[in-house]
Amino acid sequence: MITTAASWFEKTSLESQVLLLTWAMAEVHVIGQIMGATGFSESSLFCKWGVHTGAAWKLLSGVREGQTQVDTPQIGDMAYWSHPIDLHFATKGLQGWPRLHLQVWSQDSFGRCQLEGYGFCHVPSSPGTHQLDCPTWRPLGSWREQLARAFVGGGPQLLHGDAIYSGADRYRLHTAAGGTVHLELGLLLRHFDRYGVEC
Amino acid sequence: MVSENSHLEDQQEPVQEGSDTRLLSVTSRRGPRSLPPIPSAFRTGFAEFSMRERMREKLQAARSKAESALLQEIPTPRPRRSRSPSEKQVETEFGTEPGREVQRTQLEEDSRDYSRVKFHDSARKIKSKPPVPPGFPSAEEAYNFFTFNFDPEPEESEEKPKAKHRGGTNQEEKEGEEEEPPVREGANKTGEEELLEGKDAEDLLLGLDHADADFVAVRPADYEGVRVRLQMEKELLFTPSRLTVPTYKKLPENVQPRYLEDEGLYIGARPEVPRTNQNIMENRLLTQEPGRRWFGDDGRILALPNPIRPFPSRPPVLTQEQDIKAELETLYTKAVKYIHRSQHMIGSGDPPGNFQLDIDISGLIFTHHPCFSREHVLAAKLAQLYDQYLARRQRNKAKFLTDKLQALRNAVQMGLNPAKSPKSLETTPKAINEYKSEIRQTRRLRDAEQEKDRTLLKTIIKVWKEMKSLREFQRFTNTPLKLVLRREKVDQKADEEAYEAEIQAEIRELLEEHTEDYEQKMEEYRTAHQQWKAWKKAQRAKKKKKKQAVEEHPDEEMEEPDPGETPVKPLPPEPTDRAAIEQQVRERAARSRRRPGEPTLVPELSLAGSVTPNDQCPRGEVLRREDVKRRSLYLKVIFNDKEVSRTDSRPLGADFRVHFGQIFNLQIVNWPESLTLQVYETVGHSGATLLAEVFLPIPETTVVTGRAPIEEVEFSSNQHVTLDHEGVGSGVPFSFEADGSNQLTLMTSGRVSNSVAWAIGENGIPLIPPLSQQNIGFRSALKRADAISSIGTSGLTDMKKLAKWAAESKLDPNDPSNAPLMQLISVATSGESYVPDFFRLEQLQQEFNFVSDEELNRSRRFRLLRLRSQEVPEFRNYKQIPLYDREIMEKVFQDYEKRLRDRNVIETKDHIDINRATVAKYFQQVRDSVINRFLVAKHHFLLSDLIVEEEVPNISILGLSLFKLAEQKRPLRPRRKGRKKVTAQNLSDGDIKLLVNIIRAYDIPVRKPTTSKFQQPSRSSRAFGEKHAASPTARSPTHSADYPLGQVLVRPFVEVSFQRTICHTTTAEGPNPSWNEELELPFRAPNGDYSTTSLQSVKDDVFINIFDEVLQDVLEDDRERGSGIHTRIERHWLGCVKIPFSTIYFQARIEGTFKIDTPPVLLGYSKERSVIAERGFDSVRSLSEGSYITLFITLEPQLVPGESVREKFDSQEDEKLLQATEKFQAECALKFPNRQCLTTVIDISGKTVFITRYLKPLNPPQELLNAYPNNPQATAELVARYVSLIPFLPDSVSFAGICDLWSTSDQFLDLLAGDEEEHAVLLCNYFLSLGKKAWLVMGSAIPEGPTAYVLTREQSHYLIWNPCSGHFYGQFDTFCPLKSVGCLIGPDNIWFNIQRYDSPLRINFDVTKPKLWKSFFSRSLPYPGLSSVQPEELIYQRTDKVAAAELQDRIEKILKEKIMDWRPRRLTRWNRYCASTLRHFLPLLERSQGEGAEDDHRAELLRQLGDYRFSGFPLHMPYSEVKPLIEAVYSTGVHSIDAPNAEFALAVYIHPYPKNVLSVWIYVASLIRNR
């Protein structure tokens, strides 16, 4: 009797362990904000942002993409958006770690919008709070387009937005530097140690 | 060893002899440093010899040790090989160094070296050839490879074989070793001595460091001579020859190559491979693999037609440009005003811009024109025929078929003699049969084709002849056409032979066929014959039998053999006659084929002829020519029915051709609907006439400029033209014959050659409007096709389907046009490769996964999180989700999974009757789909949603508020202050309260004294006749007498129940009580979700029940009366008011006097008119019966009601109409912002529909019409009652947070649920069909708020109908719930109320007065005759009576169970006798619609249940589901009687109306036996 009880205990505890192990998936919380941007030539800026992940990642909750308000700084030259980012991912692999891609746009006095820069940065992979600076660039276009941009606004844009974060051969692209987008991201990782990932 | 070796200064000797690498390295080390071994010349002698000896021995030792390694290892020779040139270099360096003593010797060596190089081959041969043990040659060779660099010193070369000799056997070698040591020592010593000397010399000469030279070796770069390498490679590598391999080598012996292609079988195009490569491959295959399995029957390497994979392994790139560059393409976008619609970033809106369609009009050719002369007609015909001929010749179908026939014959031959080829093993007799039938068919086809060819040729010649004769006849020529028939000589003999052979083959086949046929027939015949014989025999036997009988009746004999039954004696089939067949075949051949030896005729049409000049022509002709000259043509390009451009006007040429050669670039914005060219002709200076219209197809999106072929589009016109000259006219009969016979009528016709294509932009992007621009509707099919073409058809085609189709349609695999298809199919059906429907971007993902997908999906926590974020109703409001999976119970998902599972399963548990269950299901589905559609829209916010901006006070407001400060305070006139509204996001349970102010009630029924049996007759007799006119005086005396304990008439109190919370007021007294109490009820949102949408969908009702509190004396013993009071409080339900929560939510507050919904029969109570009459209300009140209650209901805090979706909906209405509606509404809103004005509504599919389309006369059920055939008013009431019996379900509940959706009447009747609008529309339609003047009234009423009523015009007055209750009110009825009228809607117009007042009491309903009613359609905008969205006719099914009865029983059972459940502490007794009485009574109530049966009923009841104290009432409801019924019964509180001896009675009656509309009556009563 005693032996059977013991074995039963062993079995159940083993099972529960197994359950614990198998059903505890790695999770990543990204909580933070897009603080703002500096160094852009225009003043009324807003930012469209999106998070791109690999196939192994599942968004449990939160919004993947969004757009900030238009901020016109009154003091200083930093446009503050303080746009919240709150994402919760589950993952079954490290590949395709979430990356943020940003588009900074400016709005002129006529209410027209034009592109100021594309930016991209990976979400940090260590837990804690991170201050990120994401430099941006924008396609330069031909001299004609540059001229047009200088006088009537508008400007060349990427036809395929995924070139921002994909590793396409960008050497053909002529770009001009834009300003920097400042981000503050807090990361919470969970269960990564179970899979041998140290963080 | 190193030190030893390094001392060696003589390069030549050790290198020559020792194959030891170290030795060699030493020597080579010296080279680059150009260390001159000065004493080399002198230093020969002993040291040298001993060294040599030693080295040799060492070499032998090394060899013996690793003999096998030396032999096999290829690496070993490599270093050696590479050394030799460096040696050479060393030497040459030496040679060039001046001032050295060595120079001379080196030079000598050099020269020697060269010479040696020359014959090193021979030397090697000599060296290697000598008797060497069998394992050695390779080492030997290796050895030689470097040794050849050096002087072939005679002694050395002599010695070498010797050394080899010695080393050859181990024995010898060992001996040598044993002998050596002393010698070696000696040698060492001497060597060292020498070394010292040498070193000194070196030092002296070069001043080099000792140590360096000792330990560091300088090596030249390893290099190996090209030749040597070649040599080596020659032995190692195999270079196949590039020469063509003769075919016989590639085929099995004595087999002729067989070319399938020549046999007519289709062979796909082989991939292009250079001939030399093929040769190399063939040579290699032949030498390496002697088998011939790589070669096909034709001696060529087997190859797939096209080895390229038929489908890409990458997903098709969507852009036309396959370039990688495309990904980085930038587009200059103008700074455009941002549209807030597409707010999300990725895939931002379509690139705006212009799109361009290039239309190239190159020219026009008339195939007939009125100005054609007869000759022209013929010429056109000839040209046409010639074109046909050319086309036919190009296709050469006859030849193809002939080849095919040949191939098939061959195949059959092969099949018959399987020995001939190994392949034919597969060909079964079945295949042969198939071939044969194929042959037959092909032959027939070929014959037909040949015949056609021949007739065509004949026709051409005939027409040409006609033309020639015509030219001769008219003596001038009009056309330059000239036909030349070229004869091609043929070899008569060969031709004849071929002809004969063909005929013979055909005859043979035919014969075969016939014999087959014959045999078959023969077989048939035999069986038939057998049968016949058997029959005959039987017949004979019969005859014999009958003969005796027949003899007596000879005339009967004739009748006996029934002609129908007698099997005719079968005739044996005739054997085929060869001669006849031959005859046949020959005839056919003669008809369709070229006779043998007859030359082939090749017609050639040329324009070489000359046209007769004008002056030689007759007058008619000249006139015609001039007419032609005067004509000119131009084309108009019509795009989407608008002329966009036109070509230049060009004169018509004498050959009736017009060349335009113009390209029009159409900059377009919209997707092209139509593209038309109009051909205009101008004659002289007169106006242009439209000749014809040419409709051009709109190009596929793949057709872009540069790729579009020039196409010819034919056109024709039905114009009739008669001309007074030689021109034949158009549409006019004419003839070529002189006698006018054989008339022809030709219409003007021609061809326009053009091409239409999409232009390509500067950056190579086709300027095609995006698909979204294309209008929806009928073009959706095209759109889809386009989508496919842009993605790539191959990627989307369903292979299996295709293969199936191919198998079914029996494609000819040999037809070249089917080739790609067959290829595709073979790939698809072989199954070895399938088209992947996915493309893996991260190939290695699998390897790096932590866990598998299934496990990820199994995680309950993740699932819960995901479902929550997807806003799945069940999980939407989960506030916190446990951190660990184990804390989440599987139970959580059960409901959800069940719902998913049951989506298509109809659950009949909740809905007792099946029809409702299906409807509910359907309703749910509609709801789901609508909600999904608006899910996105719901997430769009406006600025006002996010930002609350207090209005900046302007001067007027400031002034007002200042003025208010000075205002007198009037504390006795309190004003209601606007409360601050709260948005519903930060709320939680308990924050919201429902405040119900019960103010007062009027006219509550009063108790009737419990009558004893003897009083009964008189009372009932009185009650029968006078229903309403009970005289107060007659009754008043009884009052005081009948009430024991001095109870008043009635002690009503109000109980408010909401979400099962119950509050009640204090008890007031009298039929007109005044409570003035505020009740507070907590509100709980479903699932704790306080979002707007969820609040809107709260389905709960507020029940306001009025009860009478009755004190019942329960004292058992009269004697105790003095000392104690034992009474029981009983409450009797008097009536209720039901207000849906959604109404309160949307109205924010509800205030007013409401009619109490009292049961038609209230046992034990009666209306006491007398009492009211005393108060002077009489004049007003008595107009309507019933009791009223004044209420004020609100929510605390006030919630902001959700707004309806701001989406603009699609509409199929005319754009103009929509604009007009907007304008109309804006105008109305400007004048009277509070009045409801409705012009368009949203139908159930989410489309905007003009409101009048809903109104149309619709037939009510015939059953209702038949009820009161002579009483239109009664019929109308019945119809209204029918409509009111359809359950009410507000839209805000069913389509939470969306908007009001209007369903049409048939949808409404199918769904059996709808809100006021649907009821009103249906009722209005019924009234219209009854011939009444009826309108829809949009206004507001209490308690519903904005609602729809129906207004009808009777003879002199207007009636207002409440469609949901079926009641109607006069226009001047003060108790009419409709409080304001916004607009009236008729079937053809909308009238907006522009009168000063909107209360129905005070307005005039005469819509013809434009000052009072602003109409939508007026003179400026006439009614366009909009078609109705309603069906033509409503079809009513009779409701199944049996099902209704069954439902009735079930409801009764359920309710009984429920009542028992509600009384857990008491025994519930059912009085069956009473129940049956009640059951009997309910149908009567239904018949009388609950009116005027009260007294009758009471009398009846009293007679039967006289000794019971009875309280009860019938409830009446439309039936939707069981739950509301239960709720209603519960709210009456009948079950709450606590008397121990109480008995209950319950009866249910369901009256079925057509279309499954059910009227439910529930009679509940409690009985207490009187003692």
Side-chain angles (χ1 to χ4, degrees), chain B residues 32-273:
Chain B
R33 269 175 155 203
S34 59
L35 273 180
I38 324 135
S40 66
F42 326 104
R43 255 191 325 102
T44 42
F46 170 69
E48 193 189 355
F49 178 67
S50 67
M51 259 331 267
R52 212 179 286 149
E53 271 297 306
R54 219 176 53 217
M55 291 320 299
R56 214 176 279 146
E57 260 140 28
K58 234 188 277 165
L59 169 72
Q60 296 309 334
R63 261 189 209 155
S64 68
K65 269 176 203 158
E67 196 175 45
S68 59
L70 269 171
L71 286 175
Q72 287 153 14
E73 270 181 36
I74 306 156
T76 36
R78 234 177 255 156
R80 287 173 207 159
R81 253 184 278 151
S82 58
R83 223 146 274 139
S84 40
S86 62
E87 300 295 339
K88 239 190 259 175
Q89 204 188 1
V90 170
E91 283 155 7
T92 45
E93 254 178 87
F94 286 170
T96 49
E97 261 172 81
R100 299 277 159 123
E101 283 179 277
V102 223
Q103 202 171 2
R104 181 186 47 84
T105 45
Q106 289 299 344
L107 281 170
E108 274 175 20
E109 279 170 11
D110 272 356
S111 62
R112 258 182 260 151
D113 185 30
Y114 291 141
S115 61
R116 198 196 35 65
V117 167
K118 268 175 209 158
F119 45 82
H120 79 274
D121 258 346
S122 56
R124 192 188 58 170
K125 267 172 204 162
I126 296 160
K127 282 170 200 165
S128 57
K129 286 278 155 71
V132 176
F136 272 86
S138 73
E140 194 64 23
E141 275 164 27
Y143 179 78
N144 286 331
F145 275 135
F146 62 85
T147 48
F148 71 75
N149 276 359
F150 301 98
D151 291 302
E153 284 171 46
E155 38 168 322
E156 280 168 14
S157 56
E158 275 170 28
E159 264 177 24
K160 243 177 254 162
K162 210 168 112 195
K164 248 118 255 181
H165 227 55
R166 275 177 68 188
T169 49
N170 286 342
Q171 199 61 30
E172 271 180 331
E173 191 215 335
K174 267 178 191 168
E175 278 168 23
E177 251 187 315
E178 274 159 28
E179 284 165 12
E180 230 62 62
V183 188
R184 202 187 280 172
E185 268 187 315
N188 265 348
K189 274 173 198 164
T190 46
E192 267 168 50
E193 277 167 34
E194 272 210 349
L195 239 173
L196 283 172
E197 280 176 47
K199 267 212 177 143
D200 287 340
E202 275 178 44
D203 287 346
L204 283 172
L205 276 168
L206 297 162
L208 271 177
D209 196 8
H210 294 237
D212 247 15
D214 282 351
F215 301 111
V216 179
V218 179
R219 301 171 187 226
D222 289 352
Y223 179 69
E224 181 189 329
V226 181
R227 286 185 178 202
V228 187
R229 199 167 58 232
L230 280 180
Q231 194 67 30
M232 280 305 293
E233 278 170 359
K234 207 178 221 169
E235 278 156 37
L236 290 172
L237 304 177
F238 159 65
T239 314
S241 149
R242 293 178 172 215
L243 299 175
T244 316
V245 185
T247 319
Y248 65 86
K249 278 194 182 172
K250 296 185 279 188
L251 288 173
E253 276 160 51
N254 304 325
V255 170
Q256 282 297 309
R258 178 178 166 220
Y259 297 101
L260 287 175
E261 205 158 14
D262 293 351
E263 291 170 14
L265 291 171
Y266 170 70
I267 293 164
R270 293 166 73 96
E272 284 289 318
V273 179

Side-chain angles (χ1 to χ4, degrees), chain B residues 771-791:
Chain B
L771 294 177
S772 59
Q773 273 234 353
Q774 300 169 16
N775 278 340
I776 40 156
F778 66 93
R779 195 159 289 99
S780 60
L782 174 78
K783 196 164 89 181
R784 230 171 292 132
D786 276 352
I788 288 166
S789 67
S790 62
I791 293 167

Side-chain angles (χ1 to χ4, degrees), chain B residues 1262-1275:
Chain B
Q1262 197 57 41
E1263 197 181 305
L1264 304 184
L1265 298 180
N1266 292 343
Y1268 304 101
N1270 301 321
N1271 187 349
Q1273 181 59 26
T1275 311

Side-chain angles (χ1 to χ4, degrees), chain B residues 366-374 377 624 627-628 631 652 656 681 691 717 719-732 746-749:
Chain B
F366 278 103
T367 48
H368 184 77
H369 189 268
C371 289
F372 266 26
S373 67
R374 284 181 173 74
V377 175
R624 189 194 70 82
D627 190 24
V628 171
R631 288 175 191 252
L652 184 65
F656 294 95
E681 190 183 45
L691 265 189
S717 111
Q719 219 179 18
H720 291 264
V721 182
T722 324
L723 296 168
D724 50 359
H725 48 71
E726 278 291 290
V728 291
S730 161
V732 184
L746 290 173
M747 292 294 186
T748 309
S749 60

Side-chain angles (χ1 to χ4, degrees), chain B residues 1286-1300:
Chain B
I1286 300 171
F1288 175 82
L1289 184 72
D1291 275 350
S1292 61
V1293 173
S1294 45
F1295 303 113
I1298 294 160
C1299 45
D1300 226 359

Side-chain angles (χ1 to χ4, degrees), chain B residues 486-500:
Chain B
R486 199 150 47 77
R487 274 164 203 273
E488 274 177 12
K489 280 269 177 195
V490 278
D491 179 8
Q492 172 120 14
K493 206 175 166 198
D495 208 35
E496 249 167 41
E497 265 168 24
Y499 186 77
E500 198 56 35

Side-chain angles (χ1 to χ4, degrees), chain B residues 1345-1409:
Chain B
T1347 184
Y1349 274 56
V1350 175
L1351 178 79
T1352 57
R1353 187 172 152 192
E1354 307 301 320
Q1355 280 84 1
S1356 55
H1357 57 282
Y1358 291 93
L1359 287 181
I1360 296 167
W1361 299 77
N1362 182 347
C1364 300
S1365 66
H1367 296 304
F1368 63 95
Y1369 308 88
Q1371 189 194 344
F1372 304 109
D1373 190 338
T1374 42
F1375 283 96
C1376 174
L1378 187 69
K1379 289 302 171 204
S1380 75
V1381 175
C1383 61
L1384 294 184
I1385 296 157
D1388 52 1
N1389 210 342
I1390 301 169
W1391 295 273
F1392 182 69
N1393 179 9
I1394 46 172
Q1395 301 170 53
R1396 196 170 154 201
Y1397 301 102
D1398 56 0
S1399 165
L1401 291 170
R1402 304 170 83 172
I1403 60 172
N1404 188 343
F1405 280 116
D1406 190 358
V1407 292
T1408 50
K1409 293 187 175 152

